[in-house]
Amino acid sequence: MKLQFGNFHVKEIQFGTETKYENGVLTINKEEALAVVREDEHITEAELVIARPGDKTRIVPVKEAIEPRHRIGGGTIFPGVTDELMQAGNGTTHCLKGCSVLVVGKHWGGFQDGLIDMSGEGAKYTYFSQLQNICLVADTDEEFEKREQQKKNRALRWAGMRLAEYLGKVVAELQPEEVETFELEPVTKRTAEVQALPSVVYVMQLQSQMEESGYNDLVYGWDTNHMVPTFMHPNELMDGAIISGSFMPCSSKWSTYDMQNNPTMKRLYQEHGKTINFLGVILSNLNVALEQKQRSALFVAQIAKSLGADGAIVAEEGYGNPDADFIACVVELEKAGVKTVGITNECTGRDGGSQPLVALDELANAIVSCGNVSELIELPPMETVIGELQALARDGLSGGWDNDPILGPSVREDGSIIMENNAMFCGDRVLGWSTKTMVEY
C-alpha cells in the first residue's frame, strides 16, 4: 500500500462569506457549515466557535476531535461509517494540519467527555491546546441519555465527522504545501537488507468493553467488541479506518484525531529500513470476561510470532479492567519470544501510593508510563467557557465531582476548578503525544 498525505498548514481560522483555504488561513461560511451539521434531525441546537492557542478559554464537555480531510478521487474519509465501505490506506488524502474539529456538548456531558484549556496551567495537559480548533457546540433530542453517565453521543459525533469532511473539501483542488508518503512492501517481499533488521510489530488495544453497540471504537464501521485480533496495514489506520468510541475515562481515550495522526506509528515508519523492519499493526480489543482477554492475548502472540516479530510495542486505550488485557498481551508476547514494550497510563490514587495497574507480571518489565489518571489538578478561572462548565461536576465526568467532603465542589463559585487528570481530554496521549511520566522515589 502507498498512501500520500497532502498537507495544508492552518495558521488562522476565521468566519466569512465563503469557505476556503488561502495562505494558511481557513475561512468558514458558518451557515453552510451548520447546515451540514443539521442534516441529522436529532441536532436541536448548534453553533461554531473558534478556540485558538493562548486564548483564555476553557472547553467542556469535549466529546471528540477530528482532523478535517478530503480523499482525492472520491470516497468518504471514514469508510463504512459516514458513507460506503471502501479500502483506506491507498492513494492521496489532503489534510488540514494544525487544526481540529472539536465536538462539544452545549449542556450535557458524561463519563467519557473531557476538558481543554487553551492557555495557562491546564494547556500543558492536552495536545489540543496547541491547535486551532473549530468547536461544534451542539445539543440533541436524545433525551434517553442526557442524564446518563455513559453516552453514545452518536448524533454529535457523526455531525463532527460530516463537518470535518465539509471543511476538508476546501483543499480538494489545491496543491499541497507538503507531501508525506507512507509505503510498506508486503511482509514477504522486502529486501534482504530490510529483512535482516529487527522486526517490530505495533499492537493497538482498542476500547471495546461495552457489549451494547454504539459505545466502542469502530474499525471500518465494525464494533470492536465483535472483533478478534487482526493484522492490518498501518496506512489503513491513519487513513480513516478507525474512529473513536464514546466510552472510557477521557484522559485515557484516543480521539479520532489521535488515530489519524498516530505518532508512534509515524516514528516506526521513520525507523523502517534504518533500524527496524516495521511489520505492521495488530489491532486487538479490550473486553470484559477473563476468557476473552486470554483469547485475544493468545491471538496477538500467535500473529506476531507467525510474522516473525522480534519485538512489539503494545498500547492500551484505557486503564482499570483493560489492564488485565494489557498485561496478558505483554506476557504472551514475551512467552512467545517477542521482546515487548508496553505504553499505558497508571491509576495510583490521588496520593500516588496505590498499585499502578490492576494486573502485573514479572514478564512485563518494560512499560512506558504516561502519568497518573488520579493526579489532582487545580486550575484558575478562564475568561471564556465554551460549552458548560457545570457539566464537569454535574454529569459524572470521570475526573470531576459535584461535592467532596474534603475538597469541596469540583467547580468553584469563582469558576476555578479542582479535578483529577482523568477529565483532561485525551490528556495521557498513550499513542505517543505524552509529555508526562511517573516519578519514582
Side-chain angles (χ1 to χ4, degrees), residues 59 62 64-65 100-104 116 128 133-136 425:
I59 314 169
V62 186
E64 169 69 299
S100 80
V101 170
L102 290 183
V103 180
V104 185
I116 296 172
F128 296 93
N133 295 304
I134 306 106
C135 300
L136 167 58
F425 181 73

Side-chain angles (χ1 to χ4, degrees), residues 125-128 202-206 248-255 258-259 261-265 268 286 313-319 322-323 326 341-347 357 367-373 421 424-437:
Y125 287 93
T126 173
Y127 180 78
F128 296 93
Y202 182 36
V203 182
M204 292 176 64
Q205 293 185 304
L206 300 175
M248 187 41 52
C250 200
S251 72
S252 304
K253 189 165 69 172
W254 301 343
S255 71
D258 293 317
M259 313 283 197
N261 292 278
N262 189 319
T264 300
M265 203 177 293
L268 288 166
L286 296 165
I313 297 173
V314 179
E316 168 194 18
E317 184 183 12
Y319 70 93
D323 292 344
F326 175 70
V341 174
I343 308 176
T344 184
N345 53 19
E346 304 180 45
C347 183
L357 302 175
I367 295 179
V368 178
S369 170
C370 298
N372 176 18
V373 299
N421 174 67
M424 282 294 177
F425 181 73
C426 300
D428 295 330
R429 299 176 279 184
V430 170
L431 291 182
W433 309 103
S434 185
T435 57
K436 297 183 294 182
T437 187

Side-chain angles (χ1 to χ4, degrees), residues 42-46 104 106-108 137-141 146 156:
H42 292 293
I43 303 290
T44 56
E45 298 179 74
V104 185
K106 187 176 179 65
H107 297 297
W108 305 102
V137 188
D139 200 3
T140 77
D141 65 359
K146 276 188 176 178
L156 296 182

Side-chain angles (χ1 to χ4, degrees), residues 64-75:
E64 169 69 299
I66 308 156
E67 182 172 85
R69 292 182 172 184
H70 177 77
R71 192 179 301 281
I72 302 301

Side-chain angles (χ1 to χ4, degrees), residues 77-340:
I77 61 173
F78 299 114
V81 178
T82 53
D83 210 329
E84 292 182 6
L85 191 61
M86 61 174 287
Q87 182 78 61
N90 275 314
T92 300
T93 297
H94 284 183
C95 312
L96 290 172
K97 310 302 291 186
C99 71
S100 80
V101 170
L102 290 183
V103 180
V104 185
K106 187 176 179 65
H107 297 297
W108 305 102
F111 186 72
Q112 65 290 316
D113 302 334
L115 176 145
I116 296 172
D117 274 1
M118 296 303 297
S119 63
E121 172 70 12
K124 71 183 185 182
Y125 287 93
T126 173
Y127 180 78
F128 296 93
S129 63
Q130 304 173 40
L131 302 180
Q132 304 280 339
N133 295 304
I134 306 106
C135 300
L136 167 58
V137 188
D139 200 3
T140 77
D141 65 359
E142 294 163 318
E143 298 290 337
F144 69 95
E145 69 172 20
K146 276 188 176 178
R147 292 172 178 81
E148 292 292 323
Q149 188 187 45
Q150 297 289 351
K151 294 177 174 57
K152 297 181 182 180
N153 287 322
R154 191 190 192 284
L156 296 182
R157 291 159 58 215
W158 263 247
M161 287 185 278
R162 291 196 304 276
L163 179 58
E165 290 191 319
Y166 164 78
L167 295 173
K169 289 178 183 178
V170 299
V171 293
E173 305 298 328
L174 302 182
Q175 286 298 116
E177 299 158 10
E178 170 192 57
V179 175
E180 293 181 282
T181 301
F182 299 93
E183 185 174 13
L184 284 180
E185 293 296 319
V187 173
T188 59
K189 304 294 183 183
R190 299 178 184 178
T191 65
E193 290 78 13
V194 172
Q195 297 275 20
L197 295 170
S199 295
V200 177
V201 69
Y202 182 36
V203 182
M204 292 176 64
Q205 293 185 304
L206 300 175
Q207 187 49 238
S208 57
Q209 285 182 274
M210 299 296 280
E211 294 184 349
E212 181 178 339
S213 64
Y215 294 98
N216 299 312
D217 295 352
L218 300 181
V219 179
Y220 283 117
W222 185 255
D223 191 312
T224 50
N225 183 264
H226 306 311
M227 69 176 283
V228 294
T230 303
F231 181 66
M232 294 188 70
H233 198 290
N235 288 7
E236 297 176 90
L237 309 182
M238 293 190 292
D239 195 35
I242 315 178
I243 69 160
S244 175
S246 190
F247 177 74
M248 187 41 52
C250 200
S251 72
S252 304
K253 189 165 69 172
W254 301 343
S255 71
T256 297
Y257 184 100
D258 293 317
M259 313 283 197
Q260 293 171 306
N261 292 278
N262 189 319
T264 300
M265 203 177 293
K266 288 187 175 183
R267 182 58 189 272
L268 288 166
Y269 249 118
Q270 288 174 9
E271 296 300 318
H272 177 67
K274 299 174 184 176
T275 63
I276 63 168
N277 175 17
F278 179 27
L279 297 172
V281 181
I282 301 174
L283 282 190
S284 189
N285 39 11
L286 296 165
N287 290 339
V288 178
L290 187 60
E291 182 180 319
Q292 294 171 344
K293 297 173 187 296
Q294 190 62 32
R295 183 185 297 114
S296 290
L298 292 170
F299 266 69
V300 169
Q302 178 275 126
I303 295 170
K305 192 67 176 175
S306 296
L307 289 168
D310 300 303
I313 297 173
V314 179
E316 168 194 18
E317 184 183 12
Y319 70 93
N321 185 293
D323 292 344
D325 306 73
F326 175 70
I327 294 298
C329 187
V330 172
V331 167
E332 292 300 330
L333 284 164
E334 287 281 345
K335 286 164 62 177
V338 181
K339 294 298 182 184
T340 303

